[in-house]
Amino acid sequence: MSETILIIEDEPKVARLARDYLEKNGYRVLVANDGDNGLAMARREKPDLLVLDLMLPGMDGLDVCRALRRESDLPIIMLTARAEETDRLIGLEIGADDYISKPFSPRELVARVRALLRRAKGRVYVSGIIRVGELELNTDNHSVVLAGESIHLTRIEFNLLETMARHPGQIFPRAQLLENLHGVAYIGYDRSIDAHIKNLRRKIEEDPANPKYILTVYAIGYKFSDEHR
Ligand code: CA
């Protein structure tokens, strides 16, 4: 069965171009032309991937992305205009998996869709439990328990934490963490990692200002403390 792509885009020309190319490449395509309908459609139709325009009438792309991230791991590609650099950054921060600047070539869109679907399907996690200090990560069901209490992490947060916790003491440059998350190192977007780390620390550190698990490596990135072994 072919995979279903939902496009939420209010410009008919752009939506049509994207739909035509994706259909030509064997995907089943649904189109919504505003945020509210798009969100409802995403919930109802459960597509395999979402192409989401940022500037939409009514509920905008960021709101839609935020709402969906709270409830699913649906792969999301954001469409942004060139002038919307900060929005792009926010998009990645709130959990979009990739973005494409407008105007984009439909061929590029298809390539990104294909790559993201492959990545989403191939998310292979080595099974097992990672235990560090009072922290326990279950890589089978992505649950996290801290001092006996279960805590909720987003997929991105879990991915970051797992990556680092598997290799305590190893220094991870921001660009490497970013590439690990998105499959691409977005030059200039290294700092979007900081927002995720901040959220993670708030959830797992007793004193986020004085972390004992996720340590900052000045001017480079982060590492997971190796003092808990
Ligand atoms: Ca738009």
Side-chain angles (χ1 to χ4, degrees), residues 2 8 10 26 37 51 61 111 119 129 145 150 173 179 198 205 218:
S2 58
I8 308 181
D10 59 315
N37 279 321
V51 176
R119 231 158 66 217
I129 304 275
V145 173
S150 141
E179 184 169 353
K198 201 170 149 196
E205 301 282 2
Y218 179 71

Side-chain angles (χ1 to χ4, degrees), residues 4 46 70 78 117 120 137 152 180 187 194 200 208 216 223:
T4 301
K46 308 214 177 317
R70 276 198 293 267
M78 285 250 177
L117 281 172
L137 276 76
H152 176 76
N180 192 42
I187 292 162
D194 297 355
L200 248 180
T216 302
K223 71 174 182 183

Side-chain angles (χ1 to χ4, degrees), residues 30-43:
L30 305 167
V31 176
N33 50 21
D34 68 58
D36 302 82
N37 279 321
L39 181 60
M41 217 184 242
R43 286 174 171 154

Side-chain angles (χ1 to χ4, degrees), residues 82-97:
R82 238 171 239 300
E84 297 163 349
E85 291 254 333
T86 48
D87 291 340
R88 219 179 285 170
L89 181 56
I90 293 166
L92 292 176
E93 278 177 10
I94 64 172
D97 296 275

